[in-house]
Amino acid sequence: MNCFRSLLLAWGTLLATHTSAADVKIVSWNIAASPYEQVLARASDYKKMVGTLSPDVIVLIELTGRPDIRAIADAIGWQTYYAAMSDGQVQGDEIHMSLEVGVLSKIPITSVIEFDPKPEGHTIPVFTNASPDGDTSIPVKEMPLKGIDMMGLAATDRGTLRVDLANGLTVFPVHLKSNSNDACFAADDAIKALKKLGLPPVPALQTVLDNGSDVKAKADKDNAFKRERVIAATKTVADQAVADGRTVLIAGDWNTSFEPGKFGQSFDDCSLAAFSCSKAPFPVSACTGDGFDDTFAIMTVPLVGSQKWAMLTKDLGRTFKDTEFADKAIDHMTVPAAQAALFAAPKVGPDTFGSDHFPIFTVWTAGP
């Protein structure tokens, strides 16, 4: 009985400490999807990131299974941690066919909802190092992410989590569709295959790489639409969290940036002209009028839902390691506009810590 009382007192002290804490540092980081063996081998990366940035809450992108987040937590070595992750993707033959999101926190998790494109009926408890097999008193409830099935589910429709923390903060980790373009990949692969066979190049294939094509332009718009439909569905459930009286943060890898000409302010998209497969910044001349990617406008105008949100990362610089892309962030944080003053301007971490993304971080001033 005395041990039980001691445990309750310790829990109460921990909860009170975090509830009254003035500052909470939140890191969002795409860790780069890897086989489990590589996750284990990168233990020093995770420990170094935490030693450098000192986060209280970490939003993790590109986990490939629950063992990943447990291994990362063990590597970090927090005295007490609480963790939850999604279980929405079917494991595929390739690592990028099973990407998940998660939250690792020093602050107690009080409830979790997994918003899944296609719920499987799984029941997975939050786990902590105090209860390694999972805290069955906090099950991860599963609900459909309504709204993304308007044109049928896509293989890239990843879900999200609503993670409520004991200090009043709610976090939604997201991972939106990338800009991968099959038309460019196909042309590049065909050219390489012809070279291997010693056959002459086909000019039309090189033209696709150099100048783009109507097929490529359609794929670019389709990628933007896939981002829009998922973030719109996520905003709907995040708006509800705001209505519940929570302080709310959506963070993760959005795979799009504030490139002039590309991002729009309404659903009235431009007619996108063909442009090069080069990774260079988006050519403004390819999109005359309102941009074709309305991912941000869905949050900020807003084009969907009741709450107006602020993109904290609008002016943030590069967050992806590859310098051939525009010098703009593709990892983002957004909060309700009415709560934006509570969050410090995000910054980019000084290192990728073994990933292809830099972590980004903000500080939430929770109270006096």
Side-chain angles (χ1 to χ4, degrees), residues 7 29 33 42 45 59 72-73 107 117-118 125 143 163 165 170 185 190 192 196 203 220 233 279 283 317 333 337 347:
L7 182 60
W29 186 30
R42 287 183 57 201
D45 290 333
V59 175
I72 293 168
I107 302 163
K118 189 177 181 181
M143 296 180 66
V163 180
L165 303 180
T170 292
F185 286 144
K192 291 176 180 177
K196 284 183 179 180
D220 287 322
K279 295 179 181 179
M333 292 177 167
K347 296 181 180 179

Side-chain angles (χ1 to χ4, degrees), residues 9-339:
L9 287 171
W11 170 267
T13 301
L14 178 65
L15 181 59
T17 298
H18 283 295
T19 301
S20 62
D23 293 332
V24 177
K25 182 178 277 190
I26 307 151
V27 165
S28 178
W29 186 30
N30 183 322
I31 64 170
S34 305
Y36 182 60
E37 293 76 13
Q38 182 61 24
V39 173
L40 292 175
R42 287 183 57 201
S44 61
D45 290 333
Y46 312 127
K47 193 169 184 65
K48 184 179 178 183
M49 186 280 288
V50 168
T52 302
L53 300 182
S54 300
D56 299 298
V57 179
I58 310 173
V59 175
L60 294 165
I61 309 301
E62 288 200 2
L63 301 166
T64 61
R66 284 174 61 80
D68 286 5
I69 200 169
R70 192 188 299 272
I72 293 168
D74 290 344
I76 288 171
W78 281 341
Q79 185 175 358
T80 306
Y81 70 77
Y82 306 83
M85 68 168 285
S86 63
D87 187 34
Q89 296 290 303
V90 176
Q91 295 289 323
D93 294 334
E94 296 183 11
I95 202 74
H96 285 88
M97 293 299 290
S98 52
L99 300 179
E100 305 290 348
V101 296
V103 173
L104 181 61
S105 174
K106 288 182 179 179
I107 302 163
I109 291 174
T110 57
S111 67
V112 181
I113 299 174
E114 179 188 3
F115 292 100
D116 197 329
K118 189 177 181 181
E120 302 92 348
H122 297 166
T123 301
I124 304 168
V126 169
F127 65 91
T128 82
N129 51 354
S131 180
D133 293 329
D135 187 343
T136 55
S137 68
I138 313 176
V140 178
K141 300 175 184 177
E142 196 177 32
M143 296 180 66
L145 187 58
K146 295 180 180 179
I148 68 170
D149 56 352
M150 65 181 90
M151 293 184 67
L153 291 174
T156 54
D157 284 341
R158 307 174 184 119
T160 187
L161 300 171
R162 171 179 168 163
V163 180
D164 289 354
L165 303 180
N167 61 356
L169 180 67
T170 292
V171 180
F172 287 85
V174 295
H175 188 191
L176 304 184
K177 175 67 177 71
S178 73
N179 284 294
S180 297
N181 194 295
D182 289 342
C184 293
F185 286 144
D188 188 50
D189 288 346
I191 290 172
K192 291 176 180 177
L194 289 172
K195 287 181 178 179
K196 284 183 179 180
L197 293 171
L199 297 175
V202 177
L205 291 173
Q206 191 62 48
T207 298
V208 170
L209 292 183
D210 294 340
N211 304 316
S213 67
D214 290 340
V215 173
K216 176 190 177 299
K218 181 181 183 304
D220 287 322
K221 294 193 75 169
D222 286 348
N223 285 335
F225 175 70
K226 289 174 182 178
R227 287 189 288 271
E228 292 168 6
R229 64 207 289 264
V230 173
I231 203 61
T234 301
K235 183 180 186 299
T236 300
V237 292
D239 280 356
Q240 182 57 56
V242 179
D244 292 342
R246 307 288 298 183
T247 299
V248 186
L249 173 78
I250 302 174
D253 180 2
W254 296 50
N255 273 308
T256 190
S257 59
F258 279 94
E259 290 186 69
K262 181 176 180 180
F263 71 93
Q265 293 297 311
S266 75
F267 285 133
D268 186 18
D269 294 344
C270 69
S271 177
L272 185 63
F275 61 97
S276 170
C277 286
S278 170
K279 295 179 181 179
F282 177 74
V284 176
S285 60
C287 187
T288 303
D290 193 59
F292 68 93
D293 189 337
D294 302 312
T295 303
F296 303 129
I298 285 169
M299 306 300 303
T300 61
V301 172
L303 296 181
V304 173
S306 58
Q307 297 286 338
K308 186 174 183 178
W309 291 61
M311 296 299 305
L312 299 179
T313 43
K314 181 176 181 180
D315 299 320
L316 206 59
R318 181 184 310 283
T319 62
F320 190 60
K321 186 177 180 180
D322 193 333
T323 57
E324 293 182 20
F325 287 98
D327 191 19
K328 301 281 187 179
I330 63 171
D331 299 88
H332 294 285
M333 292 177 167
T334 184
V335 298
Q339 299 175 1

